[in-house]
Amino acid sequence: MQADVIIQDLMDLLAIPSPTGHATAAGDFCADRLAGFGLEVRRTARGAVVAKVPGSAGGAARALTAHVDTLGAMVAEVMADGRLRLAPIGGLPAPSCDGAYVEVLTQGGPLTGTILPELASVHVFGPRYDEQKRTWQEMRLRLDRSVRSREEALALGVRPGDFVTLDPRAQLTPDGFVKSRFLDDKACAAALLAAARDVVQGPAPTRTTYLHFSVFEEVGLGAPAGIPLDVEEVVAVDMAAVGAGQASDEHHVTVCAKDSGGPYDFALRRRLVALAEASGIPCVEDIYPYYASDATAAARSGRDLRIGLFGLGVDASHTHERTHRDALLGTAQLALAYLRER
Ligand SMILES: [Zn+2]
């Protein structure tokens, strides 16, 4: 398994804008890849991608799920001066969007622009620039067109409800760090694709496992739909929370013990850690204070499921994210070890 291949898939995925609710193209990317590996692929009504990795033995099936939808925004109001007020999609913090380059997806095509605070010109507003609030109520989208009024913006086709996508700002650094706004969860999706590529090249696995790529995770609606009915164990492959006080970091895979939704299945957690140790994958266990995964969402749908969560450490999550190729590779290797579990 090669980190370079995973990083290339990740860069390709990051280049596809996919805010929750407008993520079909990112799903198409995964579906095409999986079909190319020879797997049976289907799409759910909501647009999730489900591929089956058949096992040689009977018994209950499992599922690995990653999400390819990302944070984003929508036009909430076309203002009198032609600037746009936005509403976030998912947990996108407004201050992190100060200066973001964006596209507004109008009926007539995309228009570029920049998200700025209301009092953006330092030479005009002086100290008020520092003092102003940066909530979504104050932030504005400035279109890159000569627009001075609501009427002129409307004439360009801009309407409330238009999706706004942020420049993913993807970079690979010489030291092996990967930076982008949207490593959550495209990094894990790319890792899952790498595991799928490898598993089909080896002997048939023992257990049947579905690979599920959801497109509604950031609003809590990803995996409740589309997990096949013969599944009794769902493992979300999603970013680990990095910061002061956390065991997780950008070089390790974390197996999550507990998040805001409560503890994950203990026996499954031990199996994941044992698989990582047996494969020599750098791994830690951790809890996340403000976090909910698609596995929890699946269990909340009322299904009787064992749930688990693992994934690479991402610093500055939901803002200016960064991880390292070590953790990207480790996540793909652990997904492969799980697929090959006897
Ligand atoms: Zn995520």
Side-chain angles (χ1 to χ4, degrees), residues 50-130:
V50 186
K52 185 177 186 178
V53 180
S56 56
R62 308 100 49 90
L64 288 168
T65 180
H67 66 94
V68 293
D69 60 310
T70 71
L71 306 174
M74 253 187 197
V75 175
E77 179 184 358
V78 182
M79 308 200 72
D81 61 358
R83 301 232 168 166
L84 311 177
R85 186 171 61 78
L86 304 178
I89 295 172
L92 180 67
S96 78
C97 296
D98 187 340
Y101 286 178
V102 300
E103 285 193 347
V104 183
L105 307 184
T106 75
Q107 285 284 348
L111 296 173
T112 64
T114 305
I115 299 178
L116 295 166
E118 196 172 11
L119 311 177
S121 292
V122 173
H123 295 91
V124 177
F125 302 107
R128 293 171 66 198
Y129 175 83
D130 286 343

Side-chain angles (χ1 to χ4, degrees), residues 52 109 177 207 210 218 235 316:
K52 185 177 186 178
F177 287 103
R207 317 268 301 268
Y210 295 94
E218 291 291 2
V235 178

Side-chain angles (χ1 to χ4, degrees), residues 16-29:
I16 304 169
S18 58
T20 308
H22 205 285
T24 306
D28 292 346
F29 177 91

Side-chain angles (χ1 to χ4, degrees), residues 67 69 183-186 217-218 237-239 291-294 318:
H67 66 94
D69 60 310
L183 296 176
D184 172 13
D185 185 32
K186 288 180 169 173
E217 192 272 352
E218 291 291 2
V237 187
D238 207 338
M239 52 142 285
Y291 194 105
S293 79
D294 237 353
H318 278 200

Side-chain angles (χ1 to χ4, degrees), residues 42 49-53 60-66 192 207-213 223 225-237 268 271-272 294-296 298 303 305-310 335 338-339 341:
R42 71 176 184 89
V49 176
V50 186
K52 185 177 186 178
V53 180
R62 308 100 49 90
L64 288 168
T65 180
L192 214 49
R207 317 268 301 268
T208 293
T209 307
Y210 295 94
L211 302 173
H212 178 271
F213 293 80
I227 300 289
L229 291 173
D230 55 336
V231 167
E232 66 174 36
E233 178 172 292
V234 174
V235 178
V237 187
L268 170 55
R271 278 168 44 215
L272 291 169
D294 237 353
T296 304
R303 294 271 301 270
L305 298 167
R306 284 188 304 279
I307 56 170
L309 167 63
F310 72 85
Y338 180 82
L339 287 168
E341 188 184 23

Side-chain angles (χ1 to χ4, degrees), residues 211-303:
L211 302 173
H212 178 271
F213 293 80
S214 71
V215 291
F216 264 91
E217 192 272 352
E218 291 291 2
V219 296
L221 290 176
I227 300 289
L229 291 173
D230 55 336
V231 167
E232 66 174 36
E233 178 172 292
V234 174
V235 178
V237 187
D238 207 338
M239 52 142 285
V242 173
Q246 294 294 107
S248 305
D249 69 32
E250 296 159 275
H251 299 274
H252 286 79
V253 179
T254 301
V255 175
C256 182
K258 183 183 104 66
D259 64 15
S260 307
Y264 286 89
D265 184 86
F266 182 58
L268 170 55
R269 182 177 133 208
R270 294 264 60 82
R271 278 168 44 215
L272 291 169
V273 172
L275 284 171
E277 284 171 353
S279 305
I281 299 163
C283 173
V284 293
E285 290 172 84
D286 205 359
I287 71 170
Y288 310 151
Y290 300 98
Y291 194 105
S293 79
D294 237 353
T296 304
R300 285 234 165 92
S301 71
R303 294 271 301 270

